[in-house]
Amino acid sequence: MTEPILAEHHPLDDLIRADRMPHIWCPGCGIGIAMRCYAQGILDSGLPVKDHVVVSGIGCSGRVAGYMNLDSYHTTHGRAIPFAMGIKLAKPELMVTVFSGDGDLVAIGGNHLIHAARRNIDVKVICINNFNFGMTGGQFGPTTPRGAIATTAPYGNFELPFNLPYLLAAAGANYIARWTTLHARQLKKSILEAFSKPGFTFIEVLAPCPIGFGKSNNINDGLEEMELYRDRCVMARQGEMNPEELEIDLREDKPILIGKFIDRDRPPFHPFMKGQS
Amino acid sequence: MAAEQVRTGLHFMSGDEACAEGALAAGCRFFGGYPITPSTEIAEHLARRLPEVNGVFVQMEDELASMAIILGASAAGARAMTATSGPGFSLMMENIGLGMMLELPCVVIDVQRGSPSTGLPTMPGQSDVMQARWGSHGDYESIAYAPWSPQEMFDLTIHCFNVADRYRLPVFLLADEVVGHMVERVAVPACDSIEHWERKHAATPPGEHFEPFKITDPDLVPPIVHAGEGYCIHYTGLTHDERGYPDMTAATHNELVTRLVEKVRVNRENIIRTEGYSLEDAEIVVIAYGCTARSARQAVREARQAGIRAGLLRLISLWPFPEEEIARLATRARSLIVAEMNLGQISREVERCARRPARGVFHAGGMMIPPDPILQAIREASA
Ligand SMILES: Cc1ncc(C[n+]2csc(CCOP(=O)(O)OP(=O)(O)O)c2C)c(N)n1
Ligand code: SF4
Ligand SMILES: [Mg+2]
């Protein structure tokens, strides 16, 4: 047996509020993996930590702001993006990331999301899509796949979900990618790319929520959902955006397209200033 | 501040324009808003003026976003403002509560119109008064001023920024359509004579142990730090402890919410503003604010000419309510009259503090209350 290596210091120690541990997340929850990728992205970004700011809305994913040892703002449900815009426009030198959930960003905050993408404001969005409202106990939301069981969809969700990459592409974002918590390396790389891409960037991260979503949909634990990702995920060819292929339907054996879908350079939002025009 | 950023001199301008110029003179360099009558001229004026002074003007997708963006800008250190009217003020309530909880200074202008709902978009009202006090859920103490002239739209907008920064909360300017659209003489003072109250910044340098919501001063206001200064501060709308960390216990909650309320109450002498006209020997006291106070002053003048000892207490600030002053007046005056363009909002407060009924001159809005019904009420009271 090899001896375990005991490290005094984890490279991410300074980036995480150790004094707030243990966190609230359930065993098997995917949010922590995505947060770790974000933290690693910050370290690798080369920007001083003090220039990174994180803003979250409300939800399990929204708790990320409270665990990152950055200037961090845990705001109201759905309003993280306009709050983040205020920080970014008042101090353009800051790298402002919105880390939040699908319900927060797409249900109650959907209007802000599409308008921020349309403006192409230089804010980095990391959206945890766990197909449900985890925090409030597994209700369906605008990303819940058709047919999935949720506490407010006991007979199966009969609404059609948003196709997030396609929505954001139409709205105007400069950078759009989708990964899962199984694709931690790709996700970190993608976050780094987003940091260096001026304009609005959107990274959807499919993440297990074994408690709110998995349990009632025959996905027994976090690991099983990761296996589902491994079996179903297919890398997209960049630049090709077939809306039907991007849809997620967990009932069928339909592939889940992941990868970078959009990487373009539309002019980012700048407030008009006479002296600088 | 460069002199051209303050338009020193005498002007003939509308209340809405004066408000916008007041904001610029106060050093406001950030506006986020959504157009709505009768406040739109404020946004229009700032859309032209802010780019001249390297300020940020953003037209948002709605008032939820407008309120959120100015809080974000304030968190990064900017003096930030939005302007709206009743329907938008309703939408702002959610993030006004966030501003109270995060203690982020900013200014919200509400140019009131006839309400509820869409009501009378182009006509005046004063019926958002209680909303400004109690509109967002939970206990908090709000601060609101009610200008009665374009000059005061200018002066009080500056004052709102000062009070917001000093006490760390969103502050309301409760104007009305009459005052917002009225054009009058506005004197803009010299740049260096404009009062500027600074935010109380933390003295601890970044990197050292710092508890952002720890109270050490008797004013109960925690010193502020901003995004990007290196403090790695956490702000949350959840109940939080002195470190700013969520602490969902009844004890912490009671302590926090009580302090948020008390920080306004203990500083009320620096916040409350009233003005008296012929009050010295008044037996009949009219209480009014905003555009209605203009009619009330006229009614009091006419009553005096008719030999009635009437006076006017003009409320320049509405919240916190001048409880002591009303109680004092109530002991001397024979009769109290409240004139307001709603069906009795401030009059409740007056009756509560006076511990007796007040006569009301009310109108639901849509037109300014003329002097006559106020004079009539004075005559009835003196009979
Ligand atoms: C205005 C408002 N409405 C409703 C809620 C209750 N609520 C809290 S979190 C949440 C859903 C969060 O879903 P999501 O963003 O997907 O986060 P998750 O917990 O799944 O990570 C809701 C509805 C709230 N906090 N505020
Ligand atoms: S409810 Fe779901 S999203 Fe929330 S912590 Fe648990 S597993 Fe994660
Ligand atoms: Mg969710």
Side-chain angles (χ1 to χ4, degrees):
Chain A
M1 234 178 88
T2 47
E3 282 291 303
I5 304 165
L6 290 177
E8 288 290 313
H9 193 83
H10 187 277
L12 297 178
D13 274 355
D14 293 340
L15 272 176
I16 288 166
R17 294 187 195 271
D19 51 352
R20 289 224 49 221
M21 295 298 132
H23 56 69
I24 63 156
W25 296 316
C26 312
C29 176
I31 298 169
I33 299 174
M35 177 172 122
R36 196 226 182 275
C37 294
Y38 172 49
Q40 191 67 50
I42 288 173
L43 274 193
D44 297 354
S45 71
L47 268 181
V49 170
K50 81 177 223 340
D51 290 348
H52 281 275
V53 176
V54 62
V55 184
S56 290
I58 303 296
C60 298
S61 312
R63 290 302 184 94
V64 162
Y67 298 132
M68 295 296 301
N69 195 20
L70 305 172
D71 284 325
S72 50
Y73 299 85
H74 181 224
T75 62
T76 37
H77 195 23
R79 319 296 167 216
I81 288 177
F83 192 101
M85 276 181 71
I87 296 177
K88 180 68 192 179
L89 294 178
K91 277 205 178 148
E93 67 273 23
L94 299 179
M95 181 65 73
V96 183
T97 301
V98 168
F99 199 121
S100 219
D102 52 330
D104 185 78
L105 290 165
V106 191
I108 193 164
N111 199 33
H112 311 310
L113 177 68
I114 56 173
H115 282 278
R118 171 183 64 78
R119 292 186 183 98
N120 204 13
I121 174 95
D122 193 10
V123 163
K124 316 290 130 195
V125 176
I126 300 172
C127 172
I128 300 290
N129 181 2
N130 52 18
F131 307 119
N132 82 115
F133 293 178
M135 172 138 280
T136 42
Q139 296 79 26
F140 79 94
T143 59
T144 307
R146 225 169 176 201
I149 304 289
T151 52
T152 47
Y155 307 111
N157 178 32
F158 47 81
E159 294 190 16
L160 282 169
F162 267 131
N163 179 337
L164 290 183
Y166 203 61
L167 173 72
L168 271 291
N174 255 358
Y175 181 98
I176 302 165
R178 176 196 281 157
W179 301 103
T180 80
T181 48
L182 185 72
H183 301 84
R185 279 170 207 286
Q186 294 91 328
L187 173 58
K188 192 215 78 181
K189 188 167 155 268
S190 198
I191 290 171
L192 270 177
E193 269 182 9
F195 285 158
S196 61
K197 164 75 51 183
F200 193 78
T201 69
F202 183 85
I203 303 174
E204 177 184 12
V205 186
L206 306 185
C209 168
I211 304 302
F213 184 80
K215 202 172 55 182
S216 42
N217 289 288
N218 302 321
I219 304 169
N220 289 315
D221 53 22
L223 196 60
E224 202 174 305
E225 187 157 338
M226 297 282 254
E227 277 162 7
L228 182 147
Y229 299 154
R230 191 185 52 198
D231 295 345
R232 295 253 202 119
C233 285
V234 173
M235 278 292 290
R237 296 166 304 273
Q238 197 197 318
E240 282 181 32
M241 274 206 113
N242 178 341
E244 271 86 48
E245 281 179 17
L246 282 169
E247 282 172 6
I248 298 174
D249 191 333
L250 297 179
R251 291 172 305 179
E252 305 166 23
D253 256 349
K254 189 172 183 284
I256 298 172
L257 240 57
I258 55 167
K260 178 165 78 175
F261 307 120
I262 294 277
D263 187 345
R264 62 191 169 195
D265 294 294
R266 293 185 175 186
F269 177 90
H270 283 300
F272 180 76
M273 290 190 192
K274 271 201 162 163
Q276 294 162 21
S277 57
Chain B
M1 206 183 302
E4 70 272 14
Q5 299 176 1
V6 178
R7 289 186 163 167
T8 304
L10 279 183
H11 301 266
F12 194 52
M13 55 167 100
S14 73
D16 280 353
E17 284 173 299
C19 169
E21 285 299 326
L24 294 167
C28 169
R29 291 296 176 269
F30 200 105
F31 180 92
Y34 188 82
I36 183 167
T37 310
S39 75
T40 309
E41 294 84 352
I42 299 173
E44 288 172 345
H45 196 80
L46 287 173
R48 187 170 291 277
R49 286 279 281 138
L50 275 169
E52 293 174 0
V53 297
N54 285 334
V56 177
F57 173 90
V58 207
Q59 183 169 311
M60 297 307 287
E61 53 273 19
D62 58 32
E63 288 86 349
L64 301 158
S66 304
M67 193 61 214
I69 197 173
I70 67 166
L71 290 181
S74 173
R79 276 196 155 182
M81 176 175 107
T82 188
T84 190
S85 187
F89 200 42
S90 292
L91 290 186
M92 287 176 184
M93 285 303 149
E94 173 192 51
N95 287 313
I96 284 170
L98 181 69
M100 295 294 173
M101 200 67 156
L102 302 188
E103 302 184 65
L104 288 174
C106 59
V107 174
V108 179
I109 314 288
D110 174 11
V111 188
Q112 297 167 93
R113 62 195 223 179
S115 293
S117 191
T118 311
L120 296 168
T122 62
M123 295 169 182
Q126 291 185 313
S127 50
D128 304 352
V129 168
M130 280 297 170
Q131 186 181 26
R133 175 64 189 86
W134 299 107
S136 196
H137 54 287
D139 280 308
Y140 57 93
E141 189 85 35
S142 61
I143 300 178
Y145 293 91
W148 79 333
S149 64
Q151 181 68 55
E152 261 191 1
M153 287 288 276
F154 180 87
D155 296 338
L156 289 179
T157 300
I158 297 173
H159 186 61
C160 283
F161 276 104
N162 286 338
V163 170
D165 275 3
R166 182 65 192 76
Y167 302 112
R168 282 191 67 173
L169 74 169
V171 169
F172 310 130
L173 187 76
L174 277 188
D176 53 63
E177 187 274 337
V178 170
V179 169
H181 283 164
M182 168 190 294
V183 178
E184 259 184 2
R185 196 179 97 128
V186 174
V188 175
C191 184
D192 52 12
S193 68
I194 291 171
E195 242 185 291
H196 193 94
W197 304 1
E198 296 287 338
R199 291 185 188 180
K200 188 169 70 181
H201 196 276
T204 318
E208 283 178 25
H209 180 76
F210 173 58
E211 295 187 314
F213 292 93
K214 195 179 168 95
I215 303 301
T216 49
D217 295 341
D219 65 8
L220 303 182
V221 181
I224 200 164
V225 300
H226 301 121
E229 292 176 348
Y231 286 91
C232 292
I233 189 184
H234 183 55
Y235 277 86
T236 176
L238 288 167
T239 293
H240 44 270
D241 61 18
E242 293 176 339
R243 295 171 302 173
Y245 289 0
D247 179 2
M248 273 88 82
T249 59
T252 301
H253 186 69
N254 191 48
E255 195 178 319
L256 172 64
V257 178
T258 304
R259 179 180 64 74
L260 294 180
V261 166
E262 281 301 314
K263 81 171 173 186
V264 175
R265 292 191 183 158
V266 299
N267 295 299
R268 66 186 178 284
E269 277 181 20
N270 298 330
I271 300 167
I272 291 174
R273 283 193 181 182
T274 60
E275 193 174 26
Y277 298 87
S278 314
L279 272 185
E280 300 69 34
D281 62 342
E283 290 180 341
I284 295 161
V285 173
V286 181
I287 296 155
Y289 53 91
C291 74
T292 310
R294 299 173 78 104
S295 295
R297 187 181 52 175
Q298 181 61 23
V300 164
R301 267 197 206 126
E302 288 175 26
R304 283 274 167 181
Q305 279 159 12
I308 304 172
R309 275 157 60 182
L312 168 68
L313 178 72
R314 182 166 77 89
L315 306 180
I316 299 172
S317 60
L318 297 177
W319 307 116
F321 198 68
E323 299 181 351
E324 288 96 342
E325 190 164 6
I326 298 286
R328 235 181 295 120
L329 270 178
T331 57
R332 313 201 255 113
R334 191 148 59 86
S335 218
L336 299 176
I337 298 170
V338 180
E340 54 184 337
M341 223 193 301
N342 58 55
L343 300 186
Q345 298 194 13
I346 281 294
S347 77
R348 286 171 172 246
E349 287 296 291
V350 169
E351 290 180 340
R352 179 177 68 81
C353 302
R355 293 169 181 275
R356 63 177 155 109
R359 224 172 259 267
V361 181
F362 304 143
H363 189 285
M367 55 165 241
M368 208 172 148
I369 297 179
D372 276 357
I374 305 173
L375 182 60
Q376 181 63 26
I378 296 173
R379 283 187 199 282
E380 282 167 20
S382 76

